[in-house]
């Protein structure tokens, strides 16, 4: 476990425990690699992180169709049977993802996610990769 992940674990746990019905909290890089997690098995977190890379790319493509958007995704919310999925930009090249049960307070979740990103945004930045290595 990296030092960065260890430093974020308690913050991710705080988010999960402060919003009832939260199931998984994951921090990922723009290329879909898990950087930190809480509440999810490693395999689950890795699958969600990979899926998030596609979602953020798709959201960016849609955003580029809006004037003055610069093609940047800030928040994606998906409501599905059984719950909600949230994906928020959380620093340069990093994202915060949350999977929650359907009884979650959506407003509280958004607020807590924004608070977490504001508190630790600089720790959530992921440098670009070149040839599979950090640049």
């Amino acid at each position: 476990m990296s030092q960065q992940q260890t430093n974020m674990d308690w913050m991710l746990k705080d988010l999960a425990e402060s919003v009832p019905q939260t199931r998984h909290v994951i921090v990922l890089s723009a290329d879909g690699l898990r950087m930190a997690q809480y509440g999810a098995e490693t395999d689950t977190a890795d699958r969600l992180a990979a899926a998030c890379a596609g979602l953020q790319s798709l959201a960016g493509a849609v955003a580029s169709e809006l004037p003055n958007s610069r093609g940047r995704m800030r928040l994606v919310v998906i409501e599905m049977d059984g719950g909600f999925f949230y994906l928020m930009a959380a620093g340069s090249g990093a994202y915060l993802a949350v999977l929650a049960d359907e009884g979650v307070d959506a407003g509280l979740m958004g607020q807590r996610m924004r608070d977490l990103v504001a508190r630790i945004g600089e720790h959530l930045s992921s440098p670009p990769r070149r040839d599979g290595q950090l640049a």
Side-chain angles (χ1 to χ4, degrees):
M1 181 180 304
S2 73
Q3 182 66 31
Q4 180 181 27
Q5 181 174 343
T6 302
N7 291 338
M8 282 192 282
D9 284 351
W10 70 271
M11 291 182 249
L12 302 182
K13 180 179 179 183
D14 183 53
L15 170 66
E17 292 179 351
S18 69
V19 182
Q21 309 284 338
T22 300
R23 188 171 288 276
H24 307 304
V25 182
I26 302 164
V27 176
L28 62 131
S29 64
D31 56 357
L33 296 177
R34 174 185 44 82
M35 297 167 63
Q37 71 193 58
Y38 178 80
E41 296 292 325
T42 300
D43 288 345
T44 300
D46 286 341
R47 281 192 308 274
L48 286 170
C52 289
L55 283 173
Q56 66 86 16
S57 178
L58 179 61
V62 172
S64 69
E65 298 301 321
L66 293 170
N68 305 318
S69 78
R70 293 179 277 158
R72 294 194 329 213
M73 182 280 292
R74 290 191 292 189
L75 175 67
V76 171
V77 179
I78 300 173
E79 180 179 5
M80 58 207 125
D81 290 342
F84 293 87
F85 173 76
Y86 302 86
L87 179 64
M88 181 177 284
S92 178
Y95 297 87
L96 175 63
V98 176
L99 194 61
D101 294 329
E102 64 186 335
V104 71
D105 180 332
L108 180 61
M109 178 61 76
Q111 176 187 3
R112 296 286 199 238
M113 288 178 72
R114 283 189 303 276
D115 291 348
L116 178 58
V117 166
R119 281 188 2 226
I120 62 169
E122 66 275 359
H123 300 290
L124 296 180
S125 296
S126 176
R129 298 175 191 277
R130 291 195 182 101
D131 300 323
Q133 301 296 317
L134 291 177

